[in-house]
Amino acid sequence: MNQPLSERVGDALALLTGARTVRCPYPGCRVSVRYRHVAPDEAKRLTALATDHTRH
């Protein structure tokens, strides 16, 4: 995944504030989900949503 520098910097800053960013692994897809302070079940649901290209 070759992300633009601005996206990588944004992800790093979000990580420093306690947020997690999950991106779709499909080439060319720009979908990402960023979350913070969610229950483990909700984190699994959001991760599945972001990584399943057929759902978005």
Side-chain angles (χ1 to χ4, degrees), residues 1-2 23-31 50-54 56:
M1 288 188 275
N2 291 328
R23 298 190 178 281
C24 178
Y26 190 81
C29 185
R30 309 274 301 178
V31 171
T51 58
D52 185 359
H53 187 70
T54 62
H56 56 264

Side-chain angles (χ1 to χ4, degrees), residues 10-27:
D11 291 350
L13 290 173
L15 189 59
L16 289 172
T17 63
R20 162 109 185 188
T21 304
V22 182
R23 298 190 178 281
C24 178
Y26 190 81

Side-chain angles (χ1 to χ4, degrees), residues 26-45:
Y26 190 81
C29 185
R30 309 274 301 178
V31 171
S32 66
V33 174
R34 185 172 288 164
Y35 60 87
R36 176 184 336 167
H37 304 298
V38 298
D41 288 339
E42 181 66 3
K44 288 179 187 176
R45 187 187 74 78

